[in-house]
Amino acid sequence: MARLPRAAGLFLAGLSCSSFTKLPHVAGTEQNLLLAKQIQDQWKEFGLDSAELVHYDVLLSYPNEKQPNYISVIDDQGNEIFNTSLFEPCPQGYENVTDILPPYNAFSAQGMPEADLIYVNYGRTEDYFKLEREMGINCTGKIVVARYGKIFRGNKVKNAILAGAQGIILYSDPADYCAPGVDAYPDGWNLPGGGAQRGNVLNLNGAGDPLTPGYPAKEYTFRYKVNEGVGIPKIPVHPIGYHDAEVLLRSMGGPAAPDSSWKGSLNVSYNIGPGFADNSSTRKVRMHVHTNNKITRIYNVIGILRGAVEPDRYIILGGHRDSWVFGGIDPTTGAAVLQEVVRSFGKMKMEGWRPRRTIIFASWDAEEFGLLGSTEWAEENARVLQERAVAYINTDSSIEGNYTLRVDCTPLLYQLVYNLTKEILSPDEGYENKSLYESWLEKDPATEKNSYPRINKLGSGSDFEAYFQRLGIASGRVRYTKNRKVDKFSNYPVYHTVYETFELVEKFYDPTFKKQLTIAQLRGKLVYELADSQVIPFDCRDYGEALKGYSNRIYKLAKKHEEQLKTYKVLFDPLFSAVVNFSKAAAEFHRRLEQVDKKDPVAVRIMNDQLMFIERAFIDPLGLPGRKFYRHVIFAPSSHNKYAGESFPGIYDAMFDIESKADQHEAWEEVKRQISIAAFTVQAAAGTLKEVA
């Protein structure tokens, strides 16, 4: 691949980062449209064949300027004796910036519920099991307070609703959002006590715009009523910082935290409630949430670099542009990488090069509101994409830490990622003249095969979702991350706050821009190899290995119910047999691939099409139970945490908490149905790898 001069890359990435982060650019605002036009103009200047704005009218959600959102403690007369803050204290140098939205949870229901408070730890499924089944605590009619971290916030809200709560307060505990020995921003990169995490609280399950599930949100599209929208919570939700949370938690009564895993690091006892103790026992909590949902126009920028040999085969590089405030890390460290890659490909094109396959570049809008821009475009172009798309590479934030590489991708891409990381120099201190692969392997080896670095399953939480989980397009994402063994804080501390600024990155995360440049090189090389290799660089043998691991894992889970497996005649043999057949077909396919006559374009194209369609073969058109837009049978976002990937999700969900199901026969029949779907799908995928005639 053409080498971009290192210094130029560093300088330009810095330029994009600083110019994109000067002002807030929330989806649906004028500022984000101006940024879209700026990116479109740059792409044309860089030499793409075309760069167009593509708009959709989707449901977004904003705080009410006249009625701010806040939480109160009220006395028995109904007087508000404590109110949480209405905004975050502004970081230095940004005092005169207007249009900073206060912290809020997009798509929260409106309301002013009043009730006793219950502390629910992280608000996970297992936290509610502990409260309801072991401690006998009922959340019905109560307001719950949960700490951010561990799982996607939308799952916390869903769990609160299922538990009967009438409102939920989310807060960032220093245990999860402060690294030990680090100062709060601006003196360090920790979350200050007045910072609060914004974010949407939808449970879309891949639907895209809540009012047009399955179809693009264009002028002609039928829309559901706002109150019928997909995944919109029915209770108020509001985020607060740890200074305010401490006041609420300090007075809590009721039993003590069940164990240390329920305790954060505030100077409070972490009592569960319900309600306050002693002289505060007559006090209640009142939420004030007046957030409005409204249909708003959003804009994707779509750029095309036409392929010279196979213009009907597409590689997509996409990442979002919209932010919650300045977007210092999220998404700008990714958006800057996208600009860099477009610039270097544009330069190569100007010098006479064209990729073999077409490359589509995308600057997505409204990712923060539920992956809306990317999903609507996938819906509008689904017919073409399922026939022509080879791969999707995501370019969201390129850093969430600065310790080592993190990769989440389809098994088809493992070998390509290993090979490319061996060609890139590690940016890590102490690894001068070593490859990125070496520093990555040393710092984060895989659990099972520790001779290789760890690669994670794809879950959700960014714009690859529709392409991988719905359409079955081979996908991957790469970024720099924290040390998972040592750093216990969730995400990066100032995530989705006003403190996520250009200075945060420049002073603390990546002062030399080396980590971001490394990610730019890796994302750029991935796109280059996928677009320009004569044979698509996928290896199905790794899929076979992965399936073996996943089927063993799900069987091990099932073996905890040995009696029931016998009673209900639950057999995993067909699945194991299908996995063996897939591995054989994959090995045989790669033997033929090595023999293929590279001078015969049709022969090469036949095998390339088999490679392109292997991911598609794992798609079930009927989707997963209750989640019809998650159609991949091997991978899905976890039902308990959208961010995490689950393997054989149909079987996993059918077995989850199965011992507490009333009708055991029916429950195990569903497990058998899911095993059968998985076995059929794997066998069918194996069939696509066989010689075509």
Side-chain angles (χ1 to χ4, degrees):
M1 182 180 169
R3 301 255 171 253
L4 59 143
R6 230 182 141 84
L10 289 175
F11 174 66
L12 276 147
L15 266 189
S16 298
C17 278
S18 66
S19 75
F20 289 3
T21 52
K22 285 207 188 337
L23 294 168
H25 41 280
V26 175
T29 63
E30 183 62 24
Q31 197 51 44
N32 203 35
L33 171 57
L34 289 173
L35 194 52
K37 289 175 171 165
Q38 182 189 326
I39 287 168
Q40 179 190 25
D41 291 345
Q42 284 184 347
W43 286 4
K44 286 178 173 168
E45 202 182 302
F46 290 158
L48 295 190
D49 297 314
S50 64
E52 302 298 331
L53 295 187
V54 182
H55 68 264
Y56 300 97
D57 297 312
V58 300
L59 193 68
L60 299 183
S61 167
Y62 303 107
N64 184 325
E65 288 174 30
K66 303 200 170 46
Q67 291 185 281
N69 299 334
Y70 65 101
I71 313 290
S72 320
V73 175
I74 54 170
D75 65 16
D76 48 9
Q77 311 294 296
N79 303 311
E80 300 185 352
I81 55 178
F82 167 75
N83 293 333
T84 60
S85 55
L86 302 181
F87 55 87
E88 296 170 299
C90 201
Q92 210 188 333
Y94 293 87
E95 295 83 359
N96 299 324
V97 175
T98 53
D99 299 325
I100 296 177
L101 292 181
Y104 75 110
N105 286 121
F107 302 103
S108 164
Q110 296 182 343
M112 294 177 56
E114 268 175 46
D116 283 332
L117 202 55
I118 294 183
Y119 169 64
V120 297
N121 201 18
Y122 292 104
R124 299 167 298 188
T125 307
E126 59 266 38
D127 294 325
Y128 284 100
F129 284 172
K130 172 75 79 176
L131 287 172
E132 294 165 0
R133 298 177 180 184
E134 294 179 33
M135 301 175 73
I137 291 171
N138 184 353
C139 296
T140 305
K142 304 292 191 280
I143 292 171
V144 299
V145 57
R147 48 176 169 154
Y148 267 130
K150 307 290 187 197
I151 65 169
F152 172 58
R153 70 186 84 75
N155 294 95
K156 297 174 189 275
V157 174
K158 179 186 176 183
N159 293 341
I161 294 169
L162 290 172
Q166 55 165 331
I168 175 170
I169 301 164
L170 298 172
Y171 84 98
S172 308
D173 195 290
D176 307 288
Y177 290 89
C178 293
V182 177
D183 285 335
Y185 190 81
D187 303 314
W189 43 272
N190 270 349
L191 180 67
Q197 180 193 129
R198 293 156 188 75
N200 83 72
V201 287
L202 293 167
N203 278 283
L204 287 174
N205 289 326
D209 169 42
L211 306 186
T212 62
Y215 305 97
K218 299 301 273 189
E219 291 82 350
Y220 57 79
T221 314
F222 175 85
R223 283 175 173 77
Y224 290 111
K225 306 271 186 298
V226 172
N227 61 358
E228 304 164 347
V230 175
I232 301 171
K234 296 272 191 255
I235 64 173
V237 192
H238 188 62
I240 60 175
Y242 57 83
H243 283 165
D244 284 337
E246 188 153 35
V247 178
L248 296 180
L249 294 173
R250 194 181 291 144
S251 323
M252 294 287 287
D259 58 68
S260 64
S261 71
W262 279 63
K263 291 187 170 181
S265 51
L266 291 171
N267 187 19
V268 302
S269 61
Y270 291 93
N271 289 343
I272 304 298
F276 296 133
D278 309 332
N279 51 1
S280 309
S281 61
T282 56
R283 296 176 180 174
K284 298 254 188 278
V285 169
R286 180 190 287 153
M287 299 181 71
H288 307 71
V289 180
H290 308 288
T291 299
N292 293 308
N293 297 337
K294 86 187 239 271
I295 296 174
T296 311
R297 182 152 291 190
I298 63 167
Y299 299 87
N300 295 332
V301 191
I302 304 292
I304 296 178
L305 182 52
R306 201 180 60 258
V309 183
E310 300 184 75
D312 64 334
R313 290 293 176 259
Y314 307 154
I315 314 301
I316 306 163
L317 178 66
H320 74 106
R321 176 184 75 253
D322 67 298
S323 62
W324 279 117
V325 192
F326 303 112
I329 289 179
D330 180 9
T332 309
T333 58
V337 163
L338 178 58
Q339 291 311 85
E340 277 311 289
V341 174
V342 174
R343 188 178 65 86
S344 58
F345 279 93
K347 185 167 177 284
M348 288 158 68
K349 182 214 159 186
M350 303 281 217
E351 291 164 1
W353 172 86
R354 264 191 189 280
R356 179 186 176 95
R357 302 180 187 87
T358 295
I359 305 173
I360 300 177
F361 299 101
S363 170
W364 304 125
D365 202 350
E367 186 267 2
E368 297 294 3
F369 289 85
L371 318 178
L372 304 187
S374 57
T375 304
E376 297 311 299
W377 193 80
E379 288 177 333
E380 185 167 30
N381 297 287
R383 302 301 178 279
V384 159
L385 293 171
Q386 57 204 14
E387 296 309 321
R388 304 179 194 162
V390 174
Y392 176 96
I393 301 298
N394 203 48
T395 179
D396 200 344
S397 316
S398 55
I399 52 177
E400 59 183 14
N402 50 20
Y403 178 69
T404 192
L405 185 66
R406 170 177 170 186
V407 178
D408 311 16
C409 68
T410 169
L412 291 174
L413 285 171
Y414 290 177
Q415 292 305 320
L416 181 59
V417 170
Y418 295 148
N419 292 337
L420 294 179
T421 52
K422 287 171 182 170
E423 293 174 13
I424 297 172
L425 279 174
S426 175
D428 299 3
E429 276 140 55
Y431 289 87
E432 290 75 18
N433 302 319
K434 288 209 162 130
S435 71
L436 178 58
Y437 182 86
E438 290 172 273
S439 59
W440 175 33
L441 172 58
E442 196 165 308
K443 290 180 173 187
D444 194 20
T447 326
E448 278 85 48
K449 289 185 161 176
N450 58 9
S451 54
Y452 290 95
R454 169 190 312 274
I455 295 184
N456 307 294
K457 299 189 279 279
L458 283 167
S460 180
S462 196
D463 292 303
F464 58 86
E465 184 192 71
Y467 301 89
F468 188 66
Q469 312 286 7
R470 191 194 295 203
L471 296 179
I473 297 164
S475 300
R477 61 191 311 203
V478 301
R479 60 236 209 239
Y480 248 71
T481 192
K482 61 186 185 182
N483 182 343
R484 55 191 294 280
K485 297 185 197 76
V486 179
D487 298 325
K488 284 294 166 240
F489 53 87
S490 292
N491 215 294
Y492 49 93
V494 301
Y495 170 69
H496 286 186
T497 70
V498 74
Y499 307 109
E500 210 185 290
T501 58
F502 177 68
E503 291 74 25
L504 173 83
V505 175
E506 188 188 40
K507 277 171 68 178
F508 303 112
Y509 279 94
D510 195 19
T512 60
F513 285 92
K514 269 191 197 154
K515 306 274 155 88
Q516 286 171 84
L517 188 75
T518 299
I519 294 303
Q521 287 175 346
L522 182 50
R523 290 176 184 174
K525 278 173 174 282
L526 282 165
V527 171
Y528 179 86
E529 293 298 331
L530 288 161
D532 212 49
S533 303
Q534 187 186 11
V535 173
I536 297 168
F538 289 165
D539 195 322
C540 343
R541 291 167 296 196
D542 285 329
Y543 227 129
E545 275 300 295
L547 289 170
K548 199 165 110 185
Y550 303 150
S551 54
N552 286 334
R553 181 177 162 273
I554 199 80
Y555 181 58
K556 218 169 126 182
L557 229 50
K559 289 275 277 189
K560 294 182 178 164
H561 308 277
E562 197 110 48
E563 281 303 299
Q564 286 80 356
L565 294 183
K566 281 201 197 74
T567 307
Y568 300 109
K569 301 187 169 60
V570 183
L571 292 174
F572 280 81
D573 308 30
L575 179 58
F576 288 131
S577 164
V579 168
V580 168
N581 293 342
F582 183 93
S583 291
K584 282 184 184 152
E588 182 54 39
F589 176 86
H590 279 279
R591 274 195 289 279
R592 289 204 317 281
L593 188 57
E594 276 152 35
Q595 306 297 300
V596 73
D597 178 0
K598 299 275 174 67
K599 290 193 233 6
D600 179 349
V602 176
V604 173
R605 174 73 174 223
I606 286 172
M607 301 209 78
N608 273 338
D609 281 354
Q610 286 178 286
L611 285 164
M612 172 173 77
F613 285 127
I614 189 67
E615 199 77 67
R616 227 83 89 238
F618 292 115
I619 291 293
D620 184 337
L622 300 180
L624 289 166
R627 303 195 291 169
K628 64 181 174 199
F629 299 118
Y630 291 154
R631 307 193 310 165
H632 205 298
V633 172
I634 313 305
F635 299 109
S638 160
S639 293
H640 306 276
N641 173 16
K642 181 179 181 173
Y643 291 151
E646 191 52 76
S647 50
F648 288 122
I651 308 174
Y652 182 90
D653 284 350
M655 290 198 310
F656 185 83
D657 194 35
I658 194 165
E659 56 278 9
S660 70
K661 303 252 167 76
D663 187 334
Q664 285 290 298
H665 177 261
E666 185 188 26
W668 284 101
E669 286 295 294
E670 176 61 12
V671 172
K672 286 154 76 168
R673 189 173 79 92
Q674 290 303 328
I675 294 169
S676 134
I677 291 168
F680 162 74
T681 304
V682 173
Q683 185 61 41
T688 71
L689 290 175
K690 295 209 165 71
E691 207 155 1
V692 293

